[in-house]
Amino acid sequence: MTLHVCEHPIVEHKLTRLRDEDSPPALFRHLTSEITQVLIVEATADLETIPEIRRTPLADFDGARLADRIGLVPILRAGLGMVEAAQNLIPTSRVLHIGLFRDEDTLEPVYYYDKLPEPPNIDLALVLDPMLATGGSAIAAISRLKETGIERIRFIGLIAAPEGVEAMEEAHPDVDIWLASLDDHLNEVGYIVPGLGDAGDRIMDT
Ligand code: PRP
Ligand code: URA
């Protein structure tokens, strides 16, 4: 597993505003989208393309199109805040939803929804969730994707705790991770510190 933490100054700037407790939901959603776009660009930098000869108004040229059928897999709810940005960037992508929430007492993921095509109709899954805390939710979502036959999976998050990255490495060493920040630690109730609080609540204004 390779961990990529984006150190772009514009991302650092936007992440600072995202974390700020005074940033209201509309701004929070906007910043989430903007950071997601940068992370998706980085996470897809090595994808293969198929050559395509096309024509400008002046001449033929050697073009290219993405070789893979890409699936965006937001983990509900907070992952929904990352979908639009990713879909705008890759309009040919498919969106597959997985519904999971963390039990507040046990911190274990509770599965409540998916409707994944079997056999899969994508080649590469980009799992989207702003927060990787204990790692339980991402691990469960990725296990479910693998059950359906998807072999190539990448995780895109905004902020992770070292505990979550370690758990992911153990459970899914084949899944690389792209983040805007690797934070300090999890607190006693499973929140990432300094983190940004509850991502789902801040995105959905609940
Ligand atoms: C949050 C977050 C992740 C999960 C991370 O979702 O969006 O899915 O917690 O925690 P973990 O790594 O310890 O599993 P939450 O359970 O709050 O659900 P929500 O997105 O519906 O608010
Ligand atoms: N889920 C969140 O939304 N925030 C955290 O810090 C941990 C889990």
Side-chain angles (χ1 to χ4, degrees):
M1 185 260 267
T2 306
L3 173 65
H4 307 257
V5 181
C6 182
E7 286 175 359
H8 197 295
I10 292 176
V11 168
E12 276 182 46
H13 178 95
K14 290 183 187 298
L15 188 62
T16 301
R17 270 130 204 92
L18 186 82
R19 291 181 192 274
D20 193 322
E21 64 178 352
D22 290 331
S23 294
L27 176 61
F28 190 91
R29 287 192 292 271
H30 184 72
L31 291 163
T32 297
S33 287
E34 290 184 321
I35 297 170
T36 299
Q37 280 217 342
V38 177
L39 297 179
I40 297 278
V41 167
E42 294 195 343
T44 52
D46 64 339
L47 293 191
E48 290 188 3
T49 53
I50 296 172
E52 234 181 35
I53 297 175
R54 303 297 281 257
R55 194 168 170 78
T56 73
L58 302 177
D60 285 352
F61 69 96
D62 294 328
R65 65 186 161 82
L66 290 170
D68 293 311
R69 297 170 301 167
I70 296 174
L72 307 173
V73 189
I75 301 180
L76 308 180
R77 294 172 305 164
L80 289 176
M82 302 171 75
V83 172
E84 194 182 349
Q87 223 176 0
N88 286 342
L89 208 56
I90 314 171
T92 53
S93 55
R94 295 193 155 106
V95 181
L96 315 177
H97 298 91
I98 291 184
L100 278 172
F101 67 86
R102 268 195 333 175
D103 181 294
E104 282 181 13
D105 298 319
T106 64
L107 300 184
E108 290 297 318
V110 180
Y111 220 95
Y112 62 87
Y113 178 80
D114 79 45
K115 198 162 177 261
L116 303 176
E118 289 186 53
N121 56 8
I122 58 168
D123 306 306
L124 170 67
L126 302 179
V127 176
L128 308 175
D129 193 327
M131 310 306 273
L132 183 68
T134 65
S137 303
I139 289 169
I142 291 167
S143 297
R144 178 70 190 112
L145 290 174
K146 287 182 174 175
E147 256 175 40
T148 71
I150 299 172
E151 291 173 356
R152 292 170 56 213
I153 301 172
R154 299 178 178 190
F155 180 87
I156 325 288
L158 299 184
I159 298 178
E163 293 88 333
V165 172
E166 207 173 297
M168 275 278 280
E169 164 123 57
E170 186 151 323
H172 297 297
D174 55 313
V175 176
D176 289 350
I177 297 177
W178 279 261
L179 300 172
S181 175
L182 179 63
D183 275 13
D184 195 60
H185 66 280
L186 285 182
N187 70 12
E188 59 292 349
V189 286
Y191 273 78
I192 302 172
V193 182
L196 48 71
D198 189 306
D201 283 351
R202 294 191 68 179
I203 288 169
M204 306 298 170
D205 196 13
T206 49

